[in-house]
Amino acid sequence: MRWCSSSAFHLLRCVRLRLCSRRGQNRLPLWIREIWAYMRLLAKSLYFNSLTDSDVVFDSVFEPVFLTVDYVTRWFGLVFVYLVVILTSSIVGIAYVVLLPLILNTYSPPWIAWHVCYGHWNLIMIAFHYYKAANTSPGYPPTEKHDGPVVSVCKKCIIPKPARTHHCGICNRCILKMDHHCPWLNNCVGHFNHRYFFSFCLFMTLGCVYCSISGRNLFLDAYNALEHFKHLELEKPGIPVTGMGLLIGLLPSGQTHYQTPAPPYTFKDKMIHKSIIYMWVLTSTVGVALGALTFWHAVLISRGETSIERHINSKETKRMAKWGKVYRNPFNYSRLNNWKIFLGVEKRSHWVTRVLLPSAHPPHGDGLTWAVFPVKKDLIPV
């Protein structure tokens, strides 16, 4: 009996080894098995995690889309910068070549002085703040150990994150008081260049509105002139001559149409009118779109928030409302204080020297530590 039981055991063992060897021969390649295991892990993470909600599912499903957008934005950042420079330069060129001679020939001296002074001031403010916003570092947290307060650890950088610091997937590093990554700057908007970004948006909107309003009548005249030119080109190049005209020899033999003179407009006239239309359409469109963005950022600054913090605070407000509590933004220091801190206004003269004139002064604070909870007194007395 012992011999029979041991023989049966060995037989079963041989059959199992042979089946395992056959399975090993039919195994898929390693890279396919790794992808399959990763997909199974992702699928299980969606329903094994007790904290799973609609945002987690949305982020997981659209993660490839986010990675593609980050990749394209990272590598095409300079293209967006060149586009901003080219479009702005084209408007400035039209203003100098077409509009300035008209202003000098038709407007009164006070209006000429107003247009020349305001136009050049606005242009200087746009160029200065765009250059500073694109070339100023937004601010990065220290990678070495420090004594400053931290609120979490970045899951990608594996370094401590101070308050209001977030990771940028395009720059691939953490940003102090990150607002967003701006492709038109090819740079992140953070603690040290947030004021430059907002000032650029504000003065670019003012410049577009200025061009749109002051060039409205010129746009209407140019559009009507082009329509008139189009009708003249559709007309026949001559006037038919019949009856007595042919008998008295008004035309040479064989010619039946009297040739009209050349049209009273030239190629230069066409280009001038088209340039005015191009300038008005572009500035009006950009003025509306950028004006809406500037207004939204002004609302966020008044509340002491960034674009990312607005999303976080709204979620916290809903979460605490379920518990019957009211959430307050710890970085909201009242509307006036928020603007003074954001603009770096420390005395009354700074409203002119630091707001209405180009200024490269640093922002308030180092971006690592923040005074929390609302206060009633002015943080920066003016």
Side-chain angles (χ1 to χ4, degrees):
M1 292 295 293
R2 289 181 180 178
W3 181 83
C4 292
S5 60
S6 61
S7 299
F9 175 75
H10 285 297
L11 179 62
L12 291 175
R13 187 176 181 182
C14 292
V15 172
R16 184 180 178 184
L17 290 174
R18 181 167 294 185
L19 290 175
C20 291
S21 63
R22 289 181 178 178
R23 288 181 183 176
Q25 294 175 358
N26 296 328
R27 281 184 178 179
L28 296 173
L30 179 61
W31 65 274
I32 295 180
R33 284 185 282 127
E34 288 179 349
I35 293 176
W36 175 249
Y38 180 68
M39 297 297 293
R40 290 181 59 188
L41 180 62
L42 286 179
K44 290 181 179 180
S45 67
L46 294 178
Y47 56 86
F48 280 158
N49 190 352
S50 61
L51 300 177
T52 299
D53 54 9
S54 59
D55 293 336
V56 175
V57 176
F58 180 84
D59 292 342
S60 300
V61 172
F62 284 91
E63 184 66 22
V65 179
F66 299 150
L67 290 176
T68 304
V69 172
D70 291 347
Y71 180 83
V72 172
T73 306
R74 183 184 302 118
W75 289 104
F76 284 85
L78 288 177
V79 176
F80 291 107
V81 173
Y82 289 145
L83 188 60
V84 172
V85 174
I86 291 172
L87 292 178
T88 306
S89 300
S90 65
I91 299 301
V92 174
I94 293 173
Y96 275 105
V97 175
V98 178
L99 298 184
L100 188 59
L102 292 176
I103 291 174
L104 296 177
N105 293 329
T106 57
Y107 286 11
S108 60
W111 276 109
I112 292 175
W114 153 254
H115 282 288
V116 171
C117 294
Y118 177 82
H120 285 87
W121 169 78
N122 203 342
L123 178 61
I124 292 172
M125 297 297 285
I126 291 173
F128 172 80
H129 286 103
Y130 183 77
Y131 175 81
K132 296 294 291 185
N135 291 277
T136 301
S137 171
Y140 310 111
T143 57
E144 300 177 356
K145 185 178 180 180
H146 60 94
D147 297 331
V150 297
V151 295
S152 62
V153 176
C154 180
K155 294 182 292 185
K156 296 184 178 181
C157 297
I158 317 297
I159 61 173
K161 289 199 307 183
R164 313 185 79 176
T165 300
H166 301 279
H167 185 87
C168 176
I170 299 174
C171 297
N172 199 24
R173 62 187 309 178
C174 290
I175 307 297
L176 297 177
K177 206 194 89 170
M178 178 180 175
D179 188 271
H180 69 288
H181 184 94
C182 181
W184 302 104
L185 300 176
N186 193 27
N187 195 10
C188 260
V189 177
H191 177 65
F192 290 99
N193 65 345
H194 194 180
R195 179 180 66 87
Y196 297 130
F197 166 77
F198 177 78
S199 298
F200 163 72
C201 292
L202 176 63
F203 289 111
M204 179 64 84
T205 301
L206 293 177
C208 290
V209 172
Y210 164 73
C211 292
S212 180
I213 294 176
S214 60
R216 178 179 177 274
N217 293 330
L218 292 175
F219 165 75
L220 295 176
D221 294 341
Y223 181 80
N224 293 329
L226 286 181
E227 288 294 322
H228 179 64
F229 295 162
K230 187 183 298 184
H231 288 301
L232 289 179
E233 290 177 350
L234 293 177
E235 292 179 357
K236 294 182 178 180
I239 301 175
V241 179
T242 57
M244 291 298 296
L246 295 175
L247 297 177
I248 63 176
L250 185 61
L251 295 176
S253 60
Q255 185 175 340
T256 59
H257 284 71
Y258 177 75
Q259 298 295 329
T260 57
Y265 63 89
T266 62
F267 177 77
K268 180 180 178 181
D269 296 330
K270 276 188 176 182
M271 293 306 299
I272 290 176
H273 289 96
K274 289 182 178 180
S275 299
I276 293 175
I277 293 175
Y278 161 77
M279 181 199 69
W280 192 86
V281 171
L282 181 61
T283 54
S284 300
T285 306
V286 174
V288 172
L290 194 59
L293 177 65
T294 305
F295 177 78
W296 171 245
H297 278 278
V299 172
L300 293 179
I301 295 168
S302 300
R303 296 173 177 174
E305 298 176 325
T306 61
S307 300
I308 297 177
E309 291 172 352
R310 175 60 179 169
H311 177 69
I312 296 174
N313 291 342
S314 62
K315 292 181 65 176
E316 283 295 309
T317 301
K318 294 178 182 178
R319 186 180 67 85
M320 297 191 69
K322 295 179 181 179
W323 296 88
K325 299 180 180 180
V326 178
Y327 175 77
R328 291 184 178 181
N329 178 20
F331 308 111
N332 184 6
Y333 311 116
S334 79
R335 186 173 302 172
L336 180 59
N337 266 319
N338 291 334
W339 279 104
K340 288 191 292 186
I341 292 173
F342 178 79
L343 298 174
V345 175
E346 300 177 356
K347 53 185 180 180
R348 293 185 185 276
S349 61
H350 286 170
W351 291 106
V352 176
T353 59
R354 292 188 172 185
V355 179
L356 298 181
L357 294 177
S359 176
H361 65 277
H364 179 74
D366 57 1
L368 299 175
T369 58
W370 300 89
V372 296
F373 300 112
V375 293
K376 294 183 179 179
K377 64 180 182 179
D378 287 347
L379 293 181
I380 304 179
V382 176

